Amino acid sequence: MKILIQNIKELLQVRETPVAKVSGAEMAVLPKIDHAFLLIEDDRIADFGPMADCPSSEGCKLIDATGKTVLPTWCDSHTHIVYAGNREQEFVDRINGLSYEEIASRGGGILNSAKKLQETSEEEIYNQSKVRLEEVMRQGTGAVEIKSGYGLTVEAELKMLRVIKRLSENYPIAIKATFLGAHAFPSEYKENHEGYIDLIINEMLPAIARKNLAEYVDAFLETGYFSVAETERIIEAGKQHGLIPKIHVNQFTAINGIEACVKHGALSVDHLEIVTDEDIAVLKDSITMPVALPSCSYFISIPYTPARKMLQAGLPLALASDFNPGTTPSGNMNFVVATACIKMKMTPEEAINAATINGAYAMGISDTHGSITKGKKANIIITQPLTSYYQLPYAFGSNLIDQVLIEGQFIQ
């Protein structure tokens, strides 16, 4: 099927020459065409340009985008969409003054989600998760990474990864699976870290590799969770099974975790609410994408990733939602982009670059996603009529999306 979108007020993130990512000052530049057209053939972008060069509409489904902005769908490179139940009570506990650490020490947090997931059938987990996936697709997300990590047993981790695989098979959205068995130590291994790491390395990873259930390996590298040395063991074991590291790090403390991740060739380091000058120096000129999760900072009232400092140092930055039941129960990337502008002082251009092309890089799909480039997937957001694309983060509480296409399909 051919779809021709005409009279586009602003066509954003147009890249004639493909780029894998943008860094530093480049992030302030968002290439666009005013009064443009976009031609889609099947699931690919076929052509685009100014309306003066618009091809014939014969044989095409025609969309009139007068007054509207068109841009690539969001690439959300860090989520935990597959989970069971919710953690509403912990939300109230935080309002009443309990910290993340205090909630975890009372059996809440990740262990709470793990208990619920272990007790819930695979079919029910799938049914709950697909509702969340469908919601983020309607909100303009066209590619998503989903982590395990609420299983914490061999069977429950495999159950989560099977659900992720089934979602990937049943929906047009690109889904990347990450194994996060090293999310927390189960209570029975609280005093036996070595035993749980052995379980991850000797049982979980081989089973996942045999069934081809993940592409990435992750760990919660943080004080009170997995140490640098423990994380390095898990990364090394994952790499032996062909899994690329993408690591949670520097959410609450800086313990030289970023240096270890870069050393091991991590595709991304995610959270980074705390970033030192040494961390920035290590990230410079590396292949590792820093990923900020501003709606997590918003929800649990912790510092925001220091975007301005990082961009001024020449680093790239991606934005992701961290959609999860405990610390970010939302996958709305429109809100993520707005929060990055409002709280992290990113410009709209920087935030959109971070949530599209750099998000695609952080999940290994920048060859096919993240920009308006011929041959890339036809993953498109068509907005309501806007005064300019600045309205997207400015009107942060409004739904400004009119239509979403993922791989050339309209999402209802």
Side-chain angles (χ1 to χ4, degrees):
M1 184 174 75
K2 288 186 179 182
I3 300 170
L4 181 61
I5 309 173
Q6 292 183 326
N7 303 314
I8 300 165
K9 181 176 181 176
E10 299 172 299
L11 180 62
L12 305 184
Q13 192 59 286
V14 292
R15 305 272 179 182
E16 287 279 4
T17 304
V19 296
K21 61 181 178 180
V22 286
S23 306
E26 295 174 330
M27 289 193 63
V29 179
L30 183 65
K32 69 169 185 149
I33 301 172
D34 294 330
H35 195 48
F37 77 89
L38 176 65
L39 178 64
I40 293 166
E41 291 188 16
D42 298 322
D43 65 341
R44 300 282 171 170
I45 294 169
D47 199 8
F48 59 88
M51 274 303 293
D53 299 333
C54 186
S56 166
S57 61
E58 188 176 349
C60 297
K61 176 181 173 62
L62 202 57
I63 297 175
D64 181 17
T66 299
K68 300 177 179 182
T69 296
V70 172
L71 67 157
T73 52
W74 311 121
C75 296
D76 188 353
S77 68
H78 182 126
T79 83
H80 307 254
I81 282 175
V82 171
Y83 60 85
N86 64 60
R87 295 193 344 229
E88 291 169 358
Q89 184 56 51
E90 293 176 18
F91 169 64
V92 178
D93 290 342
R94 268 194 303 277
I95 292 170
N96 288 323
L98 290 183
S99 70
Y100 184 94
E101 292 82 0
E102 287 168 331
I103 290 168
S105 70
R106 290 171 26 156
I110 295 162
L111 296 185
N112 183 2
S113 285
K115 183 172 185 294
K116 287 177 181 172
L117 186 127
Q118 290 163 12
E119 295 169 350
T120 304
S121 73
E122 188 166 327
E123 186 67 19
E124 178 58 23
I125 294 164
Y126 175 82
N127 288 332
Q128 290 182 26
S129 301
K130 75 176 185 179
V131 172
R132 294 186 281 266
L133 183 66
E134 289 167 3
E135 179 186 45
V136 301
M137 290 167 67
R138 289 192 300 271
Q139 292 169 340
T141 293
V144 65
E145 179 258 21
I146 307 176
K147 302 177 189 295
S148 68
Y150 292 128
L152 308 185
T153 66
V154 177
E155 180 45 42
E157 285 292 309
L158 291 172
K159 179 164 70 171
M160 288 190 77
L161 289 165
R162 287 194 299 267
V163 168
I164 296 169
K165 185 173 185 178
R166 187 173 163 195
L167 291 169
S168 178
E169 291 168 348
N170 291 345
Y171 288 89
I173 185 171
I175 295 176
K176 294 292 185 176
T178 298
F179 167 57
L180 178 57
H183 203 186
F185 287 97
S187 51
E188 60 269 34
Y189 288 99
K190 189 175 181 182
E191 307 301 328
N192 180 17
H193 287 197
E194 190 72 22
Y196 186 59
I197 291 168
D198 284 346
L199 186 72
I200 290 171
I201 291 172
N202 297 324
E203 295 191 42
M204 292 185 188
L205 278 167
I208 289 161
R210 278 196 305 273
K211 299 174 188 295
N212 195 28
L213 290 175
E215 291 182 58
Y216 301 110
V217 63
D218 195 352
F220 190 10
L221 200 177
E222 183 56 74
T223 301
Y225 289 84
F226 289 80
S227 69
V228 173
E230 289 167 343
T231 301
E232 286 189 297
R233 280 191 63 200
I234 291 159
I235 288 173
E236 287 166 357
K239 286 165 77 173
Q240 287 176 9
H241 291 284
L243 303 186
I244 299 164
K246 279 172 61 67
I247 307 296
H248 286 64
V249 65
N250 284 46
Q251 183 174 4
F252 302 111
T253 57
I255 53 174
N256 297 320
I258 290 176
E259 182 178 10
C261 294
V262 170
K263 180 179 76 176
H264 287 281
L267 177 60
S268 72
V269 284
D270 302 28
H271 272 293
L272 312 185
E273 287 86 350
I274 309 297
V275 179
T276 67
D277 291 342
E278 292 75 18
D279 292 329
I280 288 173
V282 164
L283 283 165
K284 253 191 145 169
D285 303 319
S286 75
I287 63 166
T288 303
M289 176 65 71
V291 179
L293 311 172
S295 47
C296 177
S297 297
Y298 171 85
F299 192 72
I300 63 171
S301 301
I302 61 175
Y304 289 85
T305 302
R308 290 263 54 89
K309 182 177 181 180
M310 296 168 72
L311 297 182
Q312 285 161 9
L315 295 184
L317 188 63
L319 292 169
S321 73
D322 194 24
F323 193 174
N324 76 82
T327 61
T328 324
S330 168
N332 190 335
M333 284 293 289
N334 306 284
F335 179 75
V336 170
V337 168
T339 305
C341 294
I342 296 162
K343 294 296 186 183
M344 292 163 56
K345 304 304 179 190
M346 294 179 75
T347 66
E349 292 83 359
E350 289 167 341
I352 292 170
N353 274 322
T356 55
I357 192 64
N358 282 4
Y361 179 94
M363 51 200 295
I365 57 170
S366 49
D367 285 349
T368 52
H369 293 72
S371 67
I372 303 296
T373 301
K374 291 174 189 174
K376 283 196 175 187
K377 291 289 188 180
N379 285 16
I380 305 296
I381 294 171
I382 304 172
T383 71
Q384 305 283 354
L386 303 179
T387 52
S388 80
Y389 66 88
Y390 287 177
Q391 200 173 341
L392 290 169
Y394 167 76
F396 70 92
S398 299
N399 177 13
L400 298 177
I401 294 176
D402 183 23
Q403 292 175 292
V404 177
L405 285 87
I406 299 179
E407 300 200 358
Q409 299 182 37
F410 289 93
I411 303 303
Q412 304 300 322

